[in-house]
């Protein structure tokens, strides 16, 4: 063993203290450095926070308002067709009115992917589209001595006006109705309830339009002074919940209720045999919201999801299209398939249920756990 002199021990002790000091200085620098990294990570997190301003603006205007404008325009064309039918009750005019009704259904059913805001708070959804209609109640209106003015129809129960009352008057169980069978009383009811529907679609359009109540701006300004949405996240979650609601209604109400009960009276759009198109348009509404498009393309929720989880984005887009296709695979008319083609109906229920599940279990939690500006 090597022995050290006193001087050498003093020298080593000094070296040790110097080394210790250097180590402390290095450690301090490392800690400071780590603190800086944490600060940088926080700064990076702030940079990575998603600015949903464009997405919310495009949702409100490119999707919602554009859909409601189209709905109101189609309702105007329907009213014109109905008045033409009343003035000249020919078979050709009846068929034009029937086609106008179906054309108006398309934007309405797609709009059911966002049944919040004025359509809810102003009671416009039930006024436009309550179902199933009660034949007895409809006939009681026709059999009454009341003058069937627009004001009178406006005061009726929701199931005695709106889309399905018009459908009942224009169609008969999917069979082509004869124009010669339509009574004067039915024409009066038809014109007034269609005028009432047009008033509701215009009210809905105006509620979102800049020249009206401008609810579009309320959504677009989420987190920046919006009186309804205190944060962008709150508005984005509203969008997702709107999609969840319609997916649930299609899978567990519109399709499942008549299927489980084997009851054709529970079928939506049962007189026109338009049910399958209705259901597909409901899911297309989800597609519109997610992709941020209607007549034109905007920034959709898909861009946010893709940035967080590209596989989830691709999977959900596939699930939505699969649901549309599964509904389309149900043999027409739907009212017959609830008993004659039950496997096809069940496949559609399962496909739409998958869309709902992904929204609830994957996409909504992703939004809830993410940072927004």
């Amino acid at each position: 063993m090597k022995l050290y002199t006193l001087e050498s021990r003093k020298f080593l002790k000094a070296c040790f203290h110097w080394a210790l000091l250097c180590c402390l200085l290095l450690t301090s620098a490392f800690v400071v450095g780590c603190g800086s990294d944490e600060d940088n990570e926080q700064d990076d997190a702030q940079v990575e926070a998603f600015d949903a301003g464009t997405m919310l603006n495009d949702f409100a205007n490119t999707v919602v308002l554009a859909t409601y404008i189209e709905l109101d325009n189609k309702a105007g064309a329907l009213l014109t067709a109905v008045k033409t039918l009343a003035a000249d009750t020919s078979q050709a005019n009846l068929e034009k009115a029937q086609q106008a009704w179906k054309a108006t259904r398309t934007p309405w059913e797609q709009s059911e992917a966002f049944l919040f805001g004025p359509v809810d708070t102003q009671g416009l959804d039930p006024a436009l589209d309550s179902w199933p209609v009660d034949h007895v109640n409809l006939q009681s209106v026709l059999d009454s001595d009341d003058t069937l003015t627009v004001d009178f129809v406006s005061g009726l129960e929701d199931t005695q006006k709106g889309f399905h009352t018009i459908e009942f008057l224009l169609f008969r169980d999917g069979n082509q109705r004869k124009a010669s069978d339509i009574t004067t009383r039915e024409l009066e009811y038809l014109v007034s309830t269609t005028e009432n529907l047009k008033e509701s679609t215009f009210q809905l359009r105006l509620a979102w339009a800049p020249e009206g109540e401008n609810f579009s701006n309320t959504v677009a300004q989420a987190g920046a002074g919006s009186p309804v949405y205190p944060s962008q996240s709150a508005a984005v979650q509203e969008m997702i919940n709107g999609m969840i609601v319609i997916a649930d209604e299609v899978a567990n109400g519109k399709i499942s209720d008549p299927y489980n009960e084997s009851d054709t009276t529970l079928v939506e759009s049962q007189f026109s045999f338009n049910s399958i198109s209705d259901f597909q348009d409901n899911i297309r509404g989800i597609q519109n919201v997610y992709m941020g498009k209607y007549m034109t393309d905007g920034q959709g929720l898909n861009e946010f999801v893709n940035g967080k989880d590209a596989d989830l984005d691709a999977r959900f887009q596939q699930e939505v299209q699969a649901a549309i296709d599964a509904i389309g695979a149900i043999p027409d008319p739907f009212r017959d398939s609830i008993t004659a083609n039950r496997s096809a109906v069940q496949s559609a229920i399962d496909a739409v249920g998958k869309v709902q599940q992904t929204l609830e279990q994957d996409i909504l939690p992703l939004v809830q756990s993410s940072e927004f500006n």
Side-chain angles (χ1 to χ4, degrees), residues 73-317:
N73 290 340
K74 295 293 186 185
L78 173 60
L79 179 57
T80 297
V82 163
K83 287 182 174 180
T84 299
L85 175 64
D88 177 12
T89 315
S90 66
Q91 196 65 31
N93 286 338
L94 172 58
E95 292 175 12
K96 288 177 182 178
Q98 291 170 334
Q99 290 304 312
W101 182 88
K102 290 182 178 181
T104 310
R105 286 295 285 175
T106 296
W108 168 252
E109 289 300 292
Q110 292 186 18
S111 79
E112 289 193 323
F114 36 87
L115 287 178
F116 56 84
V119 71
D120 176 40
T121 59
Q122 297 181 21
L124 293 169
D125 176 26
L128 283 162
D129 195 35
S130 288
W131 62 277
V133 297
D134 187 327
H135 297 199
V136 175
N137 284 341
L138 291 177
Q139 193 59 48
S140 69
V141 175
L142 292 169
D143 292 341
S144 72
D145 293 328
D146 296 302
T147 303
L148 300 179
T149 62
V150 179
D151 287 341
F152 175 79
V153 170
S154 297
L156 291 173
E157 297 292 329
D158 290 333
T159 52
Q160 294 175 313
K161 59 188 176 184
F163 271 112
H164 296 298
T165 296
I166 299 169
E167 180 195 13
F168 173 77
L169 294 167
L170 287 175
F171 299 88
R172 281 295 182 273
D173 297 334
N175 298 319
Q176 181 54 57
R177 191 176 190 196
K178 293 181 180 179
S180 57
D181 291 339
I182 302 177
T183 67
T184 301
R185 184 74 170 167
E186 286 178 320
L187 290 170
E188 291 173 359
Y189 194 5
L190 179 61
V191 171
S192 291
T193 196
T194 306
E195 287 182 337
N196 172 255
L197 181 131
K198 177 63 175 70
E199 289 178 355
S200 293
T201 62
F202 181 71
Q203 181 180 340
L204 186 51
R205 171 181 181 165
L206 203 61
W208 282 76
E211 66 272 21
E213 298 163 51
N214 203 12
F215 196 77
S216 289
N217 190 62
T218 297
V219 174
Q221 294 300 311
S226 170
V228 178
Y229 303 107
S231 67
Q232 289 187 344
S233 179
V236 176
Q237 289 182 58
E238 180 93 282
M239 289 169 56
I240 297 171
N241 284 322
M243 292 188 283
I244 290 172
V245 166
I246 193 57
D248 177 56
E249 183 177 349
V250 173
N252 303 311
K254 292 187 177 190
I255 299 180
S256 290
D257 285 350
Y259 170 77
N260 291 333
E261 301 295 328
S262 296
D263 186 352
T264 60
T265 66
L266 300 178
V267 173
E268 186 180 29
S269 297
Q270 59 184 276
F271 308 117
S272 60
F273 284 9
N274 203 57
S275 309
I276 291 174
S277 293
D278 278 2
F279 305 156
Q280 286 184 302
D281 280 328
N282 286 153
I283 309 305
R284 289 189 182 105
I286 292 175
Q287 197 172 52
N288 294 346
V289 172
Y290 188 72
M291 302 302 294
K293 66 177 183 180
Y294 187 62
M295 294 296 184
T296 58
D297 289 343
Q299 184 184 107
L301 185 61
N302 64 303
E303 295 189 29
F304 164 78
V305 176
N306 185 269
K308 298 288 185 178
D309 188 338
D311 290 340
L312 173 59
D313 173 47
R315 173 165 63 85
F316 183 67
Q317 290 193 46

Side-chain angles (χ1 to χ4, degrees), residues 22-36:
C22 290
C23 183
L24 289 172
L25 289 171
L26 288 172
T27 302
S28 176
F30 178 75
V31 170
V32 171
C34 288
S36 298

Side-chain angles (χ1 to χ4, degrees), residues 13-87:
K13 186 175 181 181
C15 288
F16 172 78
H17 284 299
W18 176 251
L20 179 62
L21 178 61
C22 290
C23 183
L24 289 172
L25 289 171
L26 288 172
T27 302
S28 176
F30 178 75
V31 170
V32 171
C34 288
S36 298
D37 287 342
E38 288 176 358
D39 290 340
N40 289 336
E41 287 175 4
Q42 291 176 356
D43 291 340
D44 289 342
Q46 291 177 354
V47 170
E48 291 172 2
F50 188 82
D51 185 355
T54 299
M55 180 176 74
L56 291 170
N57 181 76
D58 289 349
F59 165 71
N61 293 285
T62 303
V63 180
V64 180
L65 181 56
T67 303
Y68 286 149
I69 289 172
E70 179 73 1
L71 171 65
D72 189 47
N73 290 340
K74 295 293 186 185
L78 173 60
L79 179 57
T80 297
V82 163
K83 287 182 174 180
T84 299
L85 175 64

